[in-house]
Amino acid sequence: LSLSPPSPQMDDEDCERRRGECLDEMSDLEKQFLELKDKLFRERLNQVKVKLDEVLTGKAGEYREPLATLQHNMTLRTQVAGVYRELCLQVIQHRYECELQGARQHLESERTLLFDAMKTELLDKIRRLEEDRQSVDLTSEWWSDEVKGKKCKRRNLSRPERKKKAALVSGPFIVYMLRDIDILEDWAAIKKVHI
């Protein structure tokens, strides 16, 4: 058997034909790829729209579980906040009652102190008035005695006065020659200054 070498003309035609077949096949594959790509994009878009609808309606599983956890946490926090609020209100109520009781006790204490001070002041004034009255009574008694004594002296002017006998005193003494009325007036003045 002898093989005849292929002609160069056949090889070019065959290559050209094969090249055209490959190009047609490649363009078909590109069309199929583009169609599949569009189909895949539409399917993905539809899936996203479905998921979005499920999320908006609250039917998505990935959405419902975290939402249930959040709602449970919210319920717990609401209960804790309610208990905390009640405790704060109780503390405020207790503080108010303590302040009110303290104010009442302070008022009562101030009232008692004021009453005692006024009572002491009034008793002191009564005592001073009583002392003044007694000193005025004593002064008026002495004054009336002095006036009576002067009247008696006037009556006895015709009689010669008797000289009193001087008392014998031993040691150095100072003798004041004051009248009784002067002593009483000085004593009353000293008492008023000390009161």
Side-chain angles (χ1 to χ4, degrees):
L1 279 167
S2 63
L3 290 169
S4 58
S7 66
Q9 200 176 26
M10 278 295 269
D11 284 338
D12 286 341
E13 284 179 10
D14 194 28
C15 282
E16 203 53 47
R17 181 182 52 80
R18 282 193 168 205
R19 185 171 169 257
E21 286 175 359
C22 286
L23 284 173
D24 288 341
E25 219 175 294
M26 197 168 79
S27 70
D28 284 343
L29 284 174
E30 282 181 1
K31 283 180 186 176
Q32 287 177 6
F33 175 74
L34 288 174
E35 287 175 3
L36 285 174
K37 184 177 161 188
D38 287 341
K39 188 176 180 184
L40 182 63
F41 175 74
R42 284 192 298 271
E43 284 179 6
R44 288 289 177 114
L45 186 62
N46 285 336
Q47 286 177 353
V48 169
K49 285 182 181 178
V50 168
K51 282 289 178 189
L52 183 61
D53 289 341
E54 286 178 355
V55 167
L56 290 174
T57 56
K59 296 177 182 175
E62 309 90 44
Y63 172 73
R64 280 186 290 167
E65 290 174 12
L67 179 65
T69 305
L70 285 173
Q71 286 178 338
H72 178 69
N73 290 341
M74 183 190 73
T75 305
L76 284 176
R77 286 186 178 186
T78 305
Q79 289 174 351
V80 169
V83 171
Y84 181 72
R85 179 179 174 271
E86 289 300 319
L87 290 175
C88 287
L89 287 174
Q90 286 178 6
V91 167
I92 290 169
Q93 182 67 30
H94 290 315
R95 283 184 183 169
Y96 167 74
E97 289 171 359
C98 288
E99 289 287 331
L100 192 62
Q101 184 178 3
R104 284 182 184 148
Q105 288 176 351
H106 181 71
L107 175 68
E108 195 60 38
S109 172
E110 290 292 321
R111 183 185 296 160
T112 304
L113 287 173
L114 181 63
F115 177 77
D116 289 344
M118 289 178 69
K119 182 179 175 183
T120 305
E121 185 180 345
L122 288 174
L123 288 174
D124 193 40
K125 283 184 180 179
I126 289 171
R127 183 183 54 79
R128 278 187 274 150
L129 287 172
E130 195 67 34
E131 287 176 358
D132 288 346
R133 185 176 62 97
Q134 288 177 1
S135 68
V136 166
D137 287 346
L138 286 174
T139 306
S140 63
E141 286 176 14
W142 282 93
W143 181 258
S144 62
D145 288 346
E146 185 74 20
V147 169
K148 285 179 186 176
K150 285 183 181 180
K151 286 181 182 177
C152 291
K153 283 182 183 178
R154 287 180 191 160
R155 289 181 194 159
N156 295 332
L157 282 178
S158 56
R159 298 182 193 163
E161 283 189 29
R162 292 185 191 171
K163 288 188 179 179
K164 291 183 180 177
K165 213 175 195 185
L168 294 174
V169 179
S170 64
F173 289 103
I174 299 173
V175 178
Y176 294 100
M177 300 298 287
L178 292 175
R179 296 176 302 163
D180 291 336
I181 189 70
D182 294 334
I183 294 172
L184 282 176
E185 286 175 358
D186 291 344
W187 179 76
I190 290 170
K191 279 290 195 184
K192 284 181 183 178
V193 169
H194 287 294
I195 292 173

